[in-house]
Amino acid sequence: MVLKSSKRAVRMRASDNYPAPGLAIEVMETGFNEGLEAGLAAEIEAFSKVAVSDTARNMINFYFHKEMASQMAIRAASKFGTLRLLPLSAVASWVAWHRRTLS
């Protein structure tokens, strides 16, 4: 019952671009129905599939670009002596532009 409602909630909130939440529920279901060993084997299989996916690569790249932008803003603020906060859209635009040129 709980897993069924969880699957429905995940389908509604996470698109097909984010397979990890759905796979996590499937792994839990396998563990509940087939035992601990089968659940652990299913977890290894699911993690190995998700860890090398395009979604994971893109999320990791986004994280590092965001951190790089943050560090550049801190260095610029220390250089110029003032800290001006940029709107999130400006930071997102900068990251998208650099991501496009680095890819």
Side-chain angles (χ1 to χ4, degrees):
M1 175 83 175
V2 173
L3 290 174
K4 190 174 185 178
S5 63
S6 297
K7 282 182 185 179
R8 189 172 350 127
V10 164
R11 264 186 274 131
M12 291 171 60
R13 291 191 180 136
S15 66
D16 291 337
N17 295 328
Y18 300 105
L23 284 175
I25 292 173
E26 288 178 20
V27 165
M28 286 187 281
E29 188 173 31
T30 301
F32 290 142
N33 294 335
E34 299 174 25
L36 179 63
E37 292 298 321
L40 293 174
E43 183 177 359
I44 292 168
E45 176 76 24
F47 179 78
S48 64
K49 185 188 306 182
V50 172
V52 295
S53 68
D54 289 339
T55 302
R57 185 174 38 103
N58 290 336
M59 292 176 82
I60 291 167
N61 285 337
F62 176 75
Y63 170 78
F64 283 117
H65 283 102
K66 185 181 78 157
E67 288 299 310
M68 183 175 61
S70 174
Q71 292 299 316
M72 288 178 69
I74 290 169
R75 278 190 228 119
S78 66
K79 181 178 179 181
F80 296 111
T82 60
L83 178 62
R84 294 189 178 152
L85 298 176
L86 294 174
L88 183 58
S89 60
V91 174
S93 298
W94 183 89
V95 169
W97 184 82
H98 279 284
R99 186 172 178 207
R100 180 178 51 88
T101 59
L102 294 175
S103 296

